[in-house]
C-alpha cells in the first residue's frame, strides 16, 4: 500500500494559520479606515484591496513574482539585507495566501464597521477617548462576531488557495507543496487513487476545522449572553 505523505496537509494548515493572523492584524485597521472614509483615496484603496478577488490567480501570482522575485528591487533588498527569500519558499506560500485572502476579510469587516452608530463614537470622543482607544475599546467589542466570521472566511480561502500559491511558491515536494497542489500533482501523474485520498483528507479536515470554529463562536456568544443576564 502506497504511503500517504501528510506534509502537504501540515504545510497548508501552517500557511493558512499564518496568513490568517497577518490578515487579521493588517485587515482590521484597513477595514475600519475604509468604513469611515468617503474620499477618493478611500475609493482607490478599496478598489486595490478588491482587485485580488477579481484578478485570475495566474495574473495575481505574476504580479507577486515581479514584485518579490530575486531580480526585483524589493526582492534583492530582502535577500541582501535580511537574507529573506520569498519566491519558491514556504514564505512565498504564506504571502500568496495572505494576498488572496485579505480582501475577503476587508470586505466583510468593512461592511460591519460601516453599520456602527456615529453617535456612539462621538460619545466616546466627548469622554476624551482617542481614536485608537475607541477602535479597541468600542468598535472591536461591538463587532467581534463579524470579525470572527471574517477570520473564518480568510482561513478557509487561504487553506484552499491553489493558483497564486503555485505561481509564487511552486510545487517542491516536502518544501512548498501544499495540499491543493499535491492533489493537482497526483492527478497529473495519473494517480487517481492518491488524488481521491488527498481530496477526502482535505475535505474532512476542512469540515472539522470550520465546525470547530463555529462551535467556539457559539460558545463565546452563549458566554456573552450569560454575562449580560447576570448583570
Amino acid at each position: 500500500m502506497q504511503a500517504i505523505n501528510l506534509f502537504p496537509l501540515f504545510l497548508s494548515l501552517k500557511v493558512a494559520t499564518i496568513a490568517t493572523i497577518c490578515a487579521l492584524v493588517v485587515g482590521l485597521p484597513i477595514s475600519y479606515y475604509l468604513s469611515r472614509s468617503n474620499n477618493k483615496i478611500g475609493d482607490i484603496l478599496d478598489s486595490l484591496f478588491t482587485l485580488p478577488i477579481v484578478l485570475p490567480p495566474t495574473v495575481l501570482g505574476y504580479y507577486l513574482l515581479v514584485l518579490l522575485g530575486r531580480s526585483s528591487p524589493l526582492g534583492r533588498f530582502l535577500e541582501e539585507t535580511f537574507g529573506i527569500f520569498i519566491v519558491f519558499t514556504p514564505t512565498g506560500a504564506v504571502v500568496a495566501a495572505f494576498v488572496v485572502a485579505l480582501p475577503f476579510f476587508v470586505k466583510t469587516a468593512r461592511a460591519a464597521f460601516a453599520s456602527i452608530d456615529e453617535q456612539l463614537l462621538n460619545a466616546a470622543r466627548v469622554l476624551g477617548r482617542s481614536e485608537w482607544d475607541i477602535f479597541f475599546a468600542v468598535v472591536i467589542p461591538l463587532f467581534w462576531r463579524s470579525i470572527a466570521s471574517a477570520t473564518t472566511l480568510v482561513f478557509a480561502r487561504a487553506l484552499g488557495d491553489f493558483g497564486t500559491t503555485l505561481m509564487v511558491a511552486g510545487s517542491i515536494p516536502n518544501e512548498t507543496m501544499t495540499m491543493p497542489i499535491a492533489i493537482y500533482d497526483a492527478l497529473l501523474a495519473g494517480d487517481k487513487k492518491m488524488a481521491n485520498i488527498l481530496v477526502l483528507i482535505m475535505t474532512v479536515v476542512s469540515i472539522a476545522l470550520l465546525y470547530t470554529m463555529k462551535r467556539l463562536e457559539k460558545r463565546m456568544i452563549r458566554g456573552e449572553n450569560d454575562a449580560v443576564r447576570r448583570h
Side-chain angles (χ1 to χ4, degrees):
M1 182 176 179
Q2 186 177 358
I4 301 173
N5 184 7
L6 293 179
F7 174 85
L9 175 62
F10 295 134
L11 178 62
S12 293
L13 294 174
K14 181 179 178 180
V15 167
T17 300
I18 298 174
T20 300
I21 294 172
C22 293
L24 181 64
V25 173
V26 175
L28 275 175
I30 291 173
S31 304
Y32 185 65
Y33 171 78
L34 292 178
S35 71
R36 318 316 298 170
S37 175
N38 293 314
N39 52 38
K40 290 183 178 179
I41 296 177
D43 292 338
I44 293 173
L45 289 175
D46 184 44
S47 299
L48 288 176
F49 283 110
T50 305
L51 201 57
I53 300 177
V54 180
L55 287 177
T58 50
V59 175
L60 185 58
Y62 177 78
Y63 279 133
L64 290 176
L65 284 175
V66 171
L67 179 65
L68 301 172
R70 299 183 66 177
S71 60
S72 70
L74 180 56
R76 283 199 303 270
F77 171 76
L78 291 174
E79 180 181 345
E80 294 171 0
T81 307
F82 303 104
I84 298 176
F85 301 89
I86 303 295
V87 176
F88 301 129
T89 67
T91 303
V94 173
V95 171
F98 166 74
V99 172
V100 167
L102 178 62
F104 293 90
F105 184 93
V106 172
K107 283 296 188 182
T108 305
R110 180 195 176 185
F113 292 154
S115 65
I116 191 171
D117 188 353
E118 192 66 32
Q119 292 182 352
L120 188 63
L121 301 180
N122 291 333
R125 295 186 183 104
V126 170
L127 293 174
R129 292 293 189 95
S130 67
E131 291 300 320
W132 280 109
D133 285 340
I134 293 173
F135 179 67
F136 286 107
V138 178
V139 176
I140 297 298
L142 278 176
F143 294 102
W144 72 265
R145 298 178 189 178
S146 298
I147 294 170
S149 298
T151 303
T152 302
L153 183 62
V154 166
F155 183 84
R157 182 63 187 86
L159 185 65
D161 184 60
F162 170 73
T164 307
T165 300
L166 181 62
M167 290 283 290
V168 178
S171 59
I172 306 173
N174 295 324
E175 188 171 343
T176 66
M177 183 179 289
T178 59
M179 200 67 166
I181 296 175
I183 294 170
Y184 175 72
D185 277 9
L187 285 174
L188 283 184
D191 193 347
K192 292 187 66 176
K193 181 179 179 180
M194 178 58 67
N196 290 335
I197 293 173
L198 295 177
V199 166
L200 179 61
I201 292 174
M202 188 69 172
T203 302
V204 171
V205 170
S206 298
I207 292 175
L209 287 171
L210 293 175
Y211 175 79
T212 301
M213 290 179 181
K214 195 64 180 178
R215 295 299 301 175
L216 289 174
E217 183 180 338
K218 288 184 176 181
R219 183 174 297 179
M220 292 174 68
I221 292 173
R222 284 198 299 269
E224 185 180 80
N225 293 336
D226 292 342
V228 171
R229 282 194 293 268
R230 284 195 297 269
H231 288 82

PDB file of all heavy atoms in Angstrom, residues 165-194:
ATOM      1  N   THR A 165      -0.574  30.443  -5.171  1.00  0.00           N
ATOM      2  CA  THR A 165       0.467  29.746  -4.415  1.00  0.00           C
ATOM      3  C   THR A 165       1.388  28.961  -5.348  1.00  0.00           C
ATOM      4  O   THR A 165       2.613  28.948  -5.170  1.00  0.00           O
ATOM      5  CB  THR A 165      -0.165  28.789  -3.390  1.00  0.00           C
ATOM      6  OG1 THR A 165      -0.974  29.536  -2.483  1.00  0.00           O
ATOM      7  CG2 THR A 165       0.903  28.051  -2.598  1.00  0.00           C
ATOM      8  N   LEU A 166       0.824  28.326  -6.352  1.00  0.00           N
ATOM      9  CA  LEU A 166       1.634  27.567  -7.310  1.00  0.00           C
ATOM     10  C   LEU A 166       2.587  28.490  -8.067  1.00  0.00           C
ATOM     11  O   LEU A 166       3.746  28.144  -8.301  1.00  0.00           O
ATOM     12  CB  LEU A 166       0.722  26.831  -8.284  1.00  0.00           C
ATOM     13  CG  LEU A 166       1.414  25.965  -9.351  1.00  0.00           C
ATOM     14  CD1 LEU A 166       2.214  24.849  -8.694  1.00  0.00           C
ATOM     15  CD2 LEU A 166       0.381  25.382 -10.316  1.00  0.00           C
ATOM     16  N   MET A 167       2.103  29.673  -8.442  1.00  0.00           N
ATOM     17  CA  MET A 167       2.941  30.618  -9.177  1.00  0.00           C
ATOM     18  C   MET A 167       4.091  31.139  -8.322  1.00  0.00           C
ATOM     19  O   MET A 167       5.217  31.279  -8.792  1.00  0.00           O
ATOM     20  CB  MET A 167       2.083  31.793  -9.650  1.00  0.00           C
ATOM     21  CG  MET A 167       1.100  31.467 -10.744  1.00  0.00           C
ATOM     22  SD  MET A 167       1.892  31.337 -12.364  1.00  0.00           S
ATOM     23  CE  MET A 167       2.317  33.054 -12.669  1.00  0.00           C
ATOM     24  N   VAL A 168       3.805  31.432  -7.060  1.00  0.00           N
ATOM     25  CA  VAL A 168       4.800  32.094  -6.205  1.00  0.00           C
ATOM     26  C   VAL A 168       5.701  31.100  -5.478  1.00  0.00           C
ATOM     27  O   VAL A 168       6.909  31.313  -5.375  1.00  0.00           O
ATOM     28  CB  VAL A 168       4.099  33.011  -5.175  1.00  0.00           C
ATOM     29  CG1 VAL A 168       5.123  33.680  -4.251  1.00  0.00           C
ATOM     30  CG2 VAL A 168       3.263  34.069  -5.889  1.00  0.00           C
ATOM     31  N   ALA A 169       5.124  30.026  -4.967  1.00  0.00           N
ATOM     32  CA  ALA A 169       5.891  29.083  -4.149  1.00  0.00           C
ATOM     33  C   ALA A 169       6.310  27.830  -4.912  1.00  0.00           C
ATOM     34  O   ALA A 169       7.210  27.107  -4.471  1.00  0.00           O
ATOM     35  CB  ALA A 169       5.089  28.688  -2.911  1.00  0.00           C
ATOM     36  N   GLY A 170       5.647  27.532  -6.025  1.00  0.00           N
ATOM     37  CA  GLY A 170       5.982  26.335  -6.772  1.00  0.00           C
ATOM     38  C   GLY A 170       5.405  25.082  -6.134  1.00  0.00           C
ATOM     39  O   GLY A 170       4.543  25.148  -5.252  1.00  0.00           O
ATOM     40  N   SER A 171       5.881  23.938  -6.585  1.00  0.00           N
ATOM     41  CA  SER A 171       5.379  22.658  -6.068  1.00  0.00           C
ATOM     42  C   SER A 171       6.539  21.747  -5.704  1.00  0.00           C
ATOM     43  O   SER A 171       6.629  20.605  -6.165  1.00  0.00           O
ATOM     44  CB  SER A 171       4.480  21.974  -7.108  1.00  0.00           C
ATOM     45  OG  SER A 171       5.201  21.735  -8.310  1.00  0.00           O
ATOM     46  N   ILE A 172       7.432  22.251  -4.871  1.00  0.00           N
ATOM     47  CA  ILE A 172       8.611  21.474  -4.457  1.00  0.00           C
ATOM     48  C   ILE A 172       8.189  20.492  -3.372  1.00  0.00           C
ATOM     49  O   ILE A 172       7.709  20.903  -2.309  1.00  0.00           O
ATOM     50  CB  ILE A 172       9.713  22.408  -3.919  1.00  0.00           C
ATOM     51  CG1 ILE A 172      10.039  23.490  -4.957  1.00  0.00           C
ATOM     52  CG2 ILE A 172      10.956  21.610  -3.549  1.00  0.00           C
ATOM     53  CD1 ILE A 172      10.984  24.550  -4.452  1.00  0.00           C
ATOM     54  N   PRO A 173       8.328  19.190  -3.599  1.00  0.00           N
ATOM     55  CA  PRO A 173       7.909  18.192  -2.605  1.00  0.00           C
ATOM     56  C   PRO A 173       8.603  18.398  -1.263  1.00  0.00           C
ATOM     57  O   PRO A 173       9.798  18.678  -1.203  1.00  0.00           O
ATOM     58  CB  PRO A 173       8.313  16.857  -3.249  1.00  0.00           C
ATOM     59  CG  PRO A 173       8.349  17.149  -4.715  1.00  0.00           C
ATOM     60  CD  PRO A 173       8.837  18.562  -4.833  1.00  0.00           C
ATOM     61  N   ASN A 174       7.816  18.259  -0.198  1.00  0.00           N
ATOM     62  CA  ASN A 174       8.320  18.377   1.178  1.00  0.00           C
ATOM     63  C   ASN A 174       8.952  19.740   1.477  1.00  0.00           C
ATOM     64  O   ASN A 174       9.752  19.869   2.405  1.00  0.00           O
ATOM     65  CB  ASN A 174       9.332  17.277   1.487  1.00  0.00           C
ATOM     66  CG  ASN A 174       8.688  15.902   1.467  1.00  0.00           C
ATOM     67  OD1 ASN A 174       7.546  15.729   1.873  1.00  0.00           O
ATOM     68  ND2 ASN A 174       9.418  14.930   0.954  1.00  0.00           N
ATOM     69  N   GLU A 175       8.576  20.727   0.680  1.00  0.00           N
ATOM     70  CA  GLU A 175       9.081  22.078   0.941  1.00  0.00           C
ATOM     71  C   GLU A 175       8.008  23.135   0.713  1.00  0.00           C
ATOM     72  O   GLU A 175       7.709  23.925   1.612  1.00  0.00           O
ATOM     73  CB  GLU A 175      10.306  22.384   0.076  1.00  0.00           C
ATOM     74  CG  GLU A 175      10.973  23.703   0.447  1.00  0.00           C
ATOM     75  CD  GLU A 175      12.314  23.899  -0.264  1.00  0.00           C
ATOM     76  OE1 GLU A 175      12.871  22.907  -0.771  1.00  0.00           O
ATOM     77  OE2 GLU A 175      12.780  25.044  -0.300  1.00  0.00           O
ATOM     78  N   THR A 176       7.432  23.190  -0.480  1.00  0.00           N
ATOM     79  CA  THR A 176       6.424  24.209  -0.774  1.00  0.00           C
ATOM     80  C   THR A 176       5.116  23.616  -1.299  1.00  0.00           C
ATOM     81  O   THR A 176       4.221  24.358  -1.678  1.00  0.00           O
ATOM     82  CB  THR A 176       6.954  25.216  -1.812  1.00  0.00           C
ATOM     83  OG1 THR A 176       7.154  24.545  -3.065  1.00  0.00           O
ATOM     84  CG2 THR A 176       8.242  25.851  -1.356  1.00  0.00           C
ATOM     85  N   MET A 177       5.017  22.310  -1.323  1.00  0.00           N
ATOM     86  CA  MET A 177       3.821  21.679  -1.900  1.00  0.00           C
ATOM     87  C   MET A 177       2.684  21.642  -0.874  1.00  0.00           C
ATOM     88  O   MET A 177       2.724  20.876   0.087  1.00  0.00           O
ATOM     89  CB  MET A 177       4.133  20.259  -2.390  1.00  0.00           C
ATOM     90  CG  MET A 177       2.940  19.577  -3.074  1.00  0.00           C
ATOM     91  SD  MET A 177       3.330  17.925  -3.665  1.00  0.00           S
ATOM     92  CE  MET A 177       4.401  18.307  -5.047  1.00  0.00           C
ATOM     93  N   THR A 178       1.688  22.481  -1.091  1.00  0.00           N
ATOM     94  CA  THR A 178       0.519  22.488  -0.224  1.00  0.00           C
ATOM     95  C   THR A 178      -0.470  21.411  -0.674  1.00  0.00           C
ATOM     96  O   THR A 178      -0.283  20.763  -1.705  1.00  0.00           O
ATOM     97  CB  THR A 178      -0.167  23.860  -0.247  1.00  0.00           C
ATOM     98  OG1 THR A 178      -0.549  24.173  -1.596  1.00  0.00           O
ATOM     99  CG2 THR A 178       0.768  24.947   0.264  1.00  0.00           C
ATOM    100  N   MET A 179      -1.532  21.249   0.075  1.00  0.00           N
ATOM    101  CA  MET A 179      -2.481  20.171  -0.210  1.00  0.00           C
ATOM    102  C   MET A 179      -3.164  20.330  -1.576  1.00  0.00           C
ATOM    103  O   MET A 179      -3.246  19.352  -2.332  1.00  0.00           O
ATOM    104  CB  MET A 179      -3.516  20.111   0.912  1.00  0.00           C
ATOM    105  CG  MET A 179      -4.251  18.805   1.010  1.00  0.00           C
ATOM    106  SD  MET A 179      -3.146  17.457   1.499  1.00  0.00           S
ATOM    107  CE  MET A 179      -4.323  16.188   1.951  1.00  0.00           C
ATOM    108  N   PRO A 180      -3.675  21.505  -1.936  1.00  0.00           N
ATOM    109  CA  PRO A 180      -4.280  21.631  -3.265  1.00  0.00           C
ATOM    110  C   PRO A 180      -3.297  21.313  -4.388  1.00  0.00           C
ATOM    111  O   PRO A 180      -3.675  20.701  -5.398  1.00  0.00           O
ATOM    112  CB  PRO A 180      -4.726  23.100  -3.304  1.00  0.00           C
ATOM    113  CG  PRO A 180      -4.924  23.473  -1.874  1.00  0.00           C
ATOM    114  CD  PRO A 180      -3.859  22.737  -1.134  1.00  0.00           C
ATOM    115  N   ILE A 181      -2.037  21.724  -4.221  1.00  0.00           N
ATOM    116  CA  ILE A 181      -1.036  21.449  -5.253  1.00  0.00           C
ATOM    117  C   ILE A 181      -0.707  19.959  -5.298  1.00  0.00           C
ATOM    118  O   ILE A 181      -0.496  19.384  -6.371  1.00  0.00           O
ATOM    119  CB  ILE A 181       0.233  22.284  -4.997  1.00  0.00           C
ATOM    120  CG1 ILE A 181      -0.093  23.771  -5.115  1.00  0.00           C
ATOM    121  CG2 ILE A 181       1.336  21.902  -5.978  1.00  0.00           C
ATOM    122  CD1 ILE A 181       1.061  24.686  -4.753  1.00  0.00           C
ATOM    123  N   ALA A 182      -0.688  19.301  -4.129  1.00  0.00           N
ATOM    124  CA  ALA A 182      -0.430  17.858  -4.090  1.00  0.00           C
ATOM    125  C   ALA A 182      -1.535  17.094  -4.812  1.00  0.00           C
ATOM    126  O   ALA A 182      -1.261  16.099  -5.510  1.00  0.00           O
ATOM    127  CB  ALA A 182      -0.323  17.397  -2.634  1.00  0.00           C
ATOM    128  N   ILE A 183      -2.752  17.531  -4.650  1.00  0.00           N
ATOM    129  CA  ILE A 183      -3.877  16.893  -5.362  1.00  0.00           C
ATOM    130  C   ILE A 183      -3.713  17.066  -6.869  1.00  0.00           C
ATOM    131  O   ILE A 183      -3.896  16.124  -7.659  1.00  0.00           O
ATOM    132  CB  ILE A 183      -5.212  17.494  -4.886  1.00  0.00           C
ATOM    133  CG1 ILE A 183      -5.446  17.143  -3.408  1.00  0.00           C
ATOM    134  CG2 ILE A 183      -6.375  16.993  -5.745  1.00  0.00           C
ATOM    135  CD1 ILE A 183      -6.609  17.883  -2.784  1.00  0.00           C
ATOM    136  N   TYR A 184      -3.344  18.267  -7.281  1.00  0.00           N
ATOM    137  CA  TYR A 184      -3.134  18.552  -8.702  1.00  0.00           C
ATOM    138  C   TYR A 184      -2.003  17.701  -9.269  1.00  0.00           C
ATOM    139  O   TYR A 184      -2.130  17.128 -10.363  1.00  0.00           O
ATOM    140  CB  TYR A 184      -2.812  20.040  -8.855  1.00  0.00           C
ATOM    141  CG  TYR A 184      -2.463  20.474 -10.254  1.00  0.00           C
ATOM    142  CD1 TYR A 184      -3.441  20.553 -11.251  1.00  0.00           C
ATOM    143  CD2 TYR A 184      -1.149  20.818 -10.585  1.00  0.00           C
ATOM    144  CE1 TYR A 184      -3.113  20.955 -12.535  1.00  0.00           C
ATOM    145  CE2 TYR A 184      -0.824  21.225 -11.865  1.00  0.00           C
ATOM    146  CZ  TYR A 184      -1.807  21.292 -12.831  1.00  0.00           C
ATOM    147  OH  TYR A 184      -1.482  21.693 -14.097  1.00  0.00           O
ATOM    148  N   ASP A 185      -0.904  17.587  -8.523  1.00  0.00           N
ATOM    149  CA  ASP A 185       0.227  16.783  -8.989  1.00  0.00           C
ATOM    150  C   ASP A 185      -0.142  15.302  -9.095  1.00  0.00           C
ATOM    151  O   ASP A 185       0.307  14.605 -10.013  1.00  0.00           O
ATOM    152  CB  ASP A 185       1.409  16.954  -8.036  1.00  0.00           C
ATOM    153  CG  ASP A 185       2.223  18.201  -8.332  1.00  0.00           C
ATOM    154  OD1 ASP A 185       1.754  19.010  -9.160  1.00  0.00           O
ATOM    155  OD2 ASP A 185       3.308  18.372  -7.741  1.00  0.00           O
ATOM    156  N   ALA A 186      -0.951  14.815  -8.148  1.00  0.00           N
ATOM    157  CA  ALA A 186      -1.375  13.420  -8.196  1.00  0.00           C
ATOM    158  C   ALA A 186      -2.215  13.149  -9.444  1.00  0.00           C
ATOM    159  O   ALA A 186      -2.068  12.101 -10.088  1.00  0.00           O
ATOM    160  CB  ALA A 186      -2.164  13.080  -6.931  1.00  0.00           C
ATOM    161  N   LEU A 187      -3.065  14.097  -9.786  1.00  0.00           N
ATOM    162  CA  LEU A 187      -3.874  13.943 -10.999  1.00  0.00           C
ATOM    163  C   LEU A 187      -3.011  13.982 -12.251  1.00  0.00           C
ATOM    164  O   LEU A 187      -3.224  13.213 -13.199  1.00  0.00           O
ATOM    165  CB  LEU A 187      -4.939  15.041 -11.059  1.00  0.00           C
ATOM    166  CG  LEU A 187      -6.140  14.881 -10.124  1.00  0.00           C
ATOM    167  CD1 LEU A 187      -7.039  16.109 -10.179  1.00  0.00           C
ATOM    168  CD2 LEU A 187      -6.942  13.635 -10.490  1.00  0.00           C
ATOM    169  N   LEU A 188      -2.033  14.893 -12.269  1.00  0.00           N
ATOM    170  CA  LEU A 188      -1.137  14.967 -13.421  1.00  0.00           C
ATOM    171  C   LEU A 188      -0.349  13.673 -13.602  1.00  0.00           C
ATOM    172  O   LEU A 188      -0.075  13.247 -14.720  1.00  0.00           O
ATOM    173  CB  LEU A 188      -0.161  16.134 -13.255  1.00  0.00           C
ATOM    174  CG  LEU A 188      -0.694  17.547 -13.525  1.00  0.00           C
ATOM    175  CD1 LEU A 188       0.431  18.560 -13.397  1.00  0.00           C
ATOM    176  CD2 LEU A 188      -1.324  17.651 -14.905  1.00  0.00           C
ATOM    177  N   ALA A 189      -0.001  13.050 -12.477  1.00  0.00           N
ATOM    178  CA  ALA A 189       0.758  11.795 -12.524  1.00  0.00           C
ATOM    179  C   ALA A 189      -0.136  10.598 -12.834  1.00  0.00           C
ATOM    180  O   ALA A 189       0.359   9.470 -12.970  1.00  0.00           O
ATOM    181  CB  ALA A 189       1.489  11.576 -11.198  1.00  0.00           C
ATOM    182  N   GLY A 190      -1.447  10.809 -12.945  1.00  0.00           N
ATOM    183  CA  GLY A 190      -2.364   9.726 -13.235  1.00  0.00           C
ATOM    184  C   GLY A 190      -2.691   8.862 -12.035  1.00  0.00           C
ATOM    185  O   GLY A 190      -3.258   7.773 -12.188  1.00  0.00           O
ATOM    186  N   ASP A 191      -2.337   9.326 -10.856  1.00  0.00           N
ATOM    187  CA  ASP A 191      -2.578   8.560  -9.626  1.00  0.00           C
ATOM    188  C   ASP A 191      -3.921   9.004  -9.032  1.00  0.00           C
ATOM    189  O   ASP A 191      -3.977   9.774  -8.069  1.00  0.00           O
ATOM    190  CB  ASP A 191      -1.436   8.782  -8.637  1.00  0.00           C
ATOM    191  CG  ASP A 191      -1.463   7.788  -7.478  1.00  0.00           C
ATOM    192  OD1 ASP A 191      -2.489   7.097  -7.318  1.00  0.00           O
ATOM    193  OD2 ASP A 191      -0.469   7.709  -6.734  1.00  0.00           O
ATOM    194  N   LYS A 192      -5.008   8.486  -9.602  1.00  0.00           N
ATOM    195  CA  LYS A 192      -6.342   8.899  -9.156  1.00  0.00           C
ATOM    196  C   LYS A 192      -6.641   8.422  -7.739  1.00  0.00           C
ATOM    197  O   LYS A 192      -7.356   9.080  -6.988  1.00  0.00           O
ATOM    198  CB  LYS A 192      -7.404   8.363 -10.119  1.00  0.00           C
ATOM    199  CG  LYS A 192      -7.354   8.999 -11.504  1.00  0.00           C
ATOM    200  CD  LYS A 192      -8.530   8.554 -12.356  1.00  0.00           C
ATOM    201  CE  LYS A 192      -9.835   9.060 -11.804  1.00  0.00           C
ATOM    202  NZ  LYS A 192     -10.985   8.724 -12.671  1.00  0.00           N
ATOM    203  N   LYS A 193      -6.080   7.265  -7.376  1.00  0.00           N
ATOM    204  CA  LYS A 193      -6.314   6.743  -6.029  1.00  0.00           C
ATOM    205  C   LYS A 193      -5.745   7.696  -4.978  1.00  0.00           C
ATOM    206  O   LYS A 193      -6.410   8.023  -3.990  1.00  0.00           O
ATOM    207  CB  LYS A 193      -5.678   5.361  -5.891  1.00  0.00           C
ATOM    208  CG  LYS A 193      -5.903   4.723  -4.522  1.00  0.00           C
ATOM    209  CD  LYS A 193      -5.271   3.341  -4.449  1.00  0.00           C
ATOM    210  CE  LYS A 193      -5.493   2.723  -3.068  1.00  0.00           C
ATOM    211  NZ  LYS A 193      -4.876   1.372  -2.972  1.00  0.00           N
ATOM    212  N   MET A 194      -4.502   8.157  -5.197  1.00  0.00           N
ATOM    213  CA  MET A 194      -3.889   9.087  -4.257  1.00  0.00           C
ATOM    214  C   MET A 194      -4.640  10.417  -4.258  1.00  0.00           C
ATOM    215  O   MET A 194      -4.836  11.027  -3.193  1.00  0.00           O
ATOM    216  CB  MET A 194      -2.414   9.309  -4.620  1.00  0.00           C
ATOM    217  CG  MET A 194      -1.697  10.310  -3.710  1.00  0.00           C
ATOM    218  SD  MET A 194      -1.748   9.845  -1.954  1.00  0.00           S
ATOM    219  CE  MET A 194      -0.735   8.362  -1.989  1.00  0.00           C
TER     220      MET A 194
END
